[in-house]
Amino acid sequence: QVKLVESGGGPVQAGGSLRLSCAASDYTIRNTCMGWFRQAPGKERERVATIYFGTDNIFYYGDSVKGRFTISGDNAKNMLYLQMNSLRPEDTALYYCATGRRDQCAGLKSRDVVYWGQGTQVTVSS
């Protein structure tokens, strides 16, 4: 059974950095789409970044995180990462690891996600 387990969340001050990790079990990330979503209280879940692990990795970022967040992965370890720099209070949310289809990777929507992790909380204080 596919399992995605996130880690690395926690409290951080504005301007700080965190690195989220997602360990995938019974799932090979090579030639698949994976991504990070987040959901703040009272808001809809939104896509943060996605990556297609192919011959050339292809990345997509939400406008609010471009230039601050970097998505990456390790095929050998079946790990997905999200490096978050210059964090802002508005980045506070529960962050989820997710998988999707290759043809939907660029604009992966919550309803199209195949597998979800349980989430890791990121709290940014001002």
Side-chain angles (χ1 to χ4, degrees):
Q1 184 176 355
V2 175
K3 191 173 182 182
L4 305 175
V5 179
E6 302 95 334
S7 61
V12 63
Q13 289 192 331
S17 298
L18 281 176
R19 188 194 195 206
L20 304 184
S21 299
C22 172
S25 58
D26 289 329
Y27 187 84
T28 301
I29 68 173
R30 185 184 297 276
N31 294 324
T32 68
C33 174
M34 295 196 72
W36 291 95
F37 285 73
R38 67 185 182 187
Q39 187 167 20
K43 294 188 177 181
E44 292 187 357
R45 193 170 296 188
E46 66 168 342
R47 179 172 58 98
V48 175
T50 54
I51 179 171
Y52 175 73
F53 291 104
T55 304
D56 297 311
N57 293 343
I58 305 173
F59 314 90
Y60 309 94
Y61 292 95
D63 289 340
S64 63
V65 305
K66 282 180 182 176
R68 300 188 299 124
F69 291 10
T70 303
I71 189 171
S72 64
D74 185 327
N75 287 337
K77 297 180 180 179
N78 275 338
M79 293 289 296
L80 179 72
Y81 305 104
L82 184 68
Q83 178 66 43
M84 305 186 295
N85 298 329
S86 301
L87 283 161
R88 305 167 180 169
E90 53 264 38
D91 294 318
T92 295
L94 191 58
Y95 283 71
Y96 297 91
C97 176
T99 71
R101 286 169 34 186
R102 171 183 179 178
D103 60 341
Q104 296 173 324
C105 205
L108 187 65
K109 296 179 174 58
S110 296
R111 65 173 182 263
D112 297 321
V113 168
V114 179
Y115 298 106
W116 290 102
Q118 84 289 349
T120 185
Q121 178 67 38
V122 172
T123 303
V124 185
S125 59
S126 57

